[in-house]
PDB file of all heavy atoms in Angstrom:
ATOM      1  N   TYR A 152     147.617 -78.164  45.784  1.00 84.00           N
ATOM      2  CA  TYR A 152     146.873 -78.368  47.017  1.00 84.00           C
ATOM      3  C   TYR A 152     147.303 -77.359  48.076  1.00 84.00           C
ATOM      4  O   TYR A 152     146.483 -76.722  48.702  1.00 84.00           O
ATOM      5  CB  TYR A 152     147.087 -79.806  47.514  1.00 84.00           C
ATOM      6  CG  TYR A 152     146.494 -80.078  48.865  1.00 84.00           C
ATOM      7  CD1 TYR A 152     145.143 -80.378  48.998  1.00 84.00           C
ATOM      8  CD2 TYR A 152     147.282 -80.019  50.011  1.00 84.00           C
ATOM      9  CE1 TYR A 152     144.586 -80.623  50.236  1.00 84.00           C
ATOM     10  CE2 TYR A 152     146.735 -80.260  51.260  1.00 84.00           C
ATOM     11  CZ  TYR A 152     145.390 -80.569  51.351  1.00 84.00           C
ATOM     12  OH  TYR A 152     144.841 -80.807  52.589  1.00 84.00           O
ATOM     13  N   TYR A 157     159.814 -73.433  54.318  1.00 97.00           N
ATOM     14  CA  TYR A 157     160.585 -73.825  55.489  1.00 97.00           C
ATOM     15  C   TYR A 157     161.890 -73.041  55.513  1.00 97.00           C
ATOM     16  O   TYR A 157     162.469 -72.717  54.461  1.00 97.00           O
ATOM     17  CB  TYR A 157     160.943 -75.318  55.452  1.00 97.00           C
ATOM     18  CG  TYR A 157     159.758 -76.240  55.607  1.00 97.00           C
ATOM     19  CD1 TYR A 157     158.987 -76.590  54.510  1.00 97.00           C
ATOM     20  CD2 TYR A 157     159.408 -76.766  56.841  1.00 97.00           C
ATOM     21  CE1 TYR A 157     157.899 -77.444  54.632  1.00 97.00           C
ATOM     22  CE2 TYR A 157     158.323 -77.626  56.977  1.00 97.00           C
ATOM     23  CZ  TYR A 157     157.582 -77.951  55.873  1.00 97.00           C
ATOM     24  OH  TYR A 157     156.499 -78.801  55.991  1.00 97.00           O
ATOM     25  N   SER A 164     167.370 -78.500  61.954  1.00 93.00           N
ATOM     26  CA  SER A 164     166.308 -79.133  61.164  1.00 93.00           C
ATOM     27  C   SER A 164     165.456 -78.064  60.499  1.00 93.00           C
ATOM     28  O   SER A 164     165.343 -76.951  61.014  1.00 93.00           O
ATOM     29  CB  SER A 164     165.412 -79.974  62.074  1.00 93.00           C
ATOM     30  OG  SER A 164     166.172 -80.880  62.834  1.00 93.00           O
ATOM     31  N   ASN A 221     152.100 -86.344  50.965  1.00 85.00           N
ATOM     32  CA  ASN A 221     153.529 -86.261  50.636  1.00 85.00           C
ATOM     33  C   ASN A 221     153.834 -84.989  49.874  1.00 85.00           C
ATOM     34  O   ASN A 221     153.423 -84.817  48.726  1.00 85.00           O
ATOM     35  CB  ASN A 221     153.961 -87.464  49.793  1.00 85.00           C
ATOM     36  CG  ASN A 221     153.815 -88.751  50.555  1.00 85.00           C
ATOM     37  OD1 ASN A 221     153.839 -88.762  51.780  1.00 85.00           O
ATOM     38  ND2 ASN A 221     153.646 -89.843  49.848  1.00 85.00           N
TER      39      ASN A 221
ATOM     40  N   TYR B 165     157.197 -93.400  53.784  1.00 94.00           N
ATOM     41  CA  TYR B 165     156.305 -92.669  54.653  1.00 94.00           C
ATOM     42  C   TYR B 165     155.276 -93.622  55.260  1.00 94.00           C
ATOM     43  O   TYR B 165     155.101 -94.752  54.796  1.00 94.00           O
ATOM     44  CB  TYR B 165     155.614 -91.525  53.908  1.00 94.00           C
ATOM     45  CG  TYR B 165     154.699 -91.963  52.782  1.00 94.00           C
ATOM     46  CD1 TYR B 165     153.324 -92.097  52.973  1.00 94.00           C
ATOM     47  CD2 TYR B 165     155.216 -92.208  51.507  1.00 94.00           C
ATOM     48  CE1 TYR B 165     152.493 -92.480  51.934  1.00 94.00           C
ATOM     49  CE2 TYR B 165     154.390 -92.592  50.463  1.00 94.00           C
ATOM     50  CZ  TYR B 165     153.040 -92.723  50.683  1.00 94.00           C
ATOM     51  OH  TYR B 165     152.213 -93.107  49.650  1.00 94.00           O
ATOM     52  N   GLU B 216     140.779 -81.224  56.854  1.00 67.00           N
ATOM     53  CA  GLU B 216     141.069 -81.540  55.449  1.00 67.00           C
ATOM     54  C   GLU B 216     142.304 -80.810  54.912  1.00 67.00           C
ATOM     55  O   GLU B 216     142.502 -80.752  53.710  1.00 67.00           O
ATOM     56  CB  GLU B 216     139.861 -81.221  54.558  1.00 67.00           C
ATOM     57  CG  GLU B 216     138.619 -82.009  54.906  1.00 67.00           C
ATOM     58  CD  GLU B 216     138.883 -83.503  54.945  1.00 67.00           C
ATOM     59  OE1 GLU B 216     139.455 -84.026  53.980  1.00 67.00           O
ATOM     60  OE2 GLU B 216     138.533 -84.143  55.970  1.00 67.00           O
ATOM     61  N   GLN B 221     155.112 -80.015  58.110  1.00 92.00           N
ATOM     62  CA  GLN B 221     155.842 -81.113  58.721  1.00 92.00           C
ATOM     63  C   GLN B 221     156.796 -80.579  59.790  1.00 92.00           C
ATOM     64  O   GLN B 221     157.370 -79.504  59.647  1.00 92.00           O
ATOM     65  CB  GLN B 221     156.620 -81.870  57.646  1.00 92.00           C
ATOM     66  CG  GLN B 221     155.690 -82.546  56.646  1.00 92.00           C
ATOM     67  CD  GLN B 221     156.412 -83.350  55.594  1.00 92.00           C
ATOM     68  OE1 GLN B 221     157.581 -83.701  55.739  1.00 92.00           O
ATOM     69  NE2 GLN B 221     155.709 -83.690  54.528  1.00 92.00           N
ATOM     70  N   GLY B 224     162.655 -84.008  62.891  1.00 96.00           N
ATOM     71  CA  GLY B 224     163.564 -84.402  63.952  1.00 96.00           C
ATOM     72  C   GLY B 224     164.940 -83.789  63.739  1.00 96.00           C
ATOM     73  O   GLY B 224     165.180 -83.110  62.736  1.00 96.00           O
TER      74      GLY B 224
END
Side-chain angles (χ1 to χ4, degrees):
Chain A
Y152 173 82
Y157 292 85
S164 307
N221 296 335
Chain B
Y165 64 97
E216 299 307 309
Q221 295 182 18

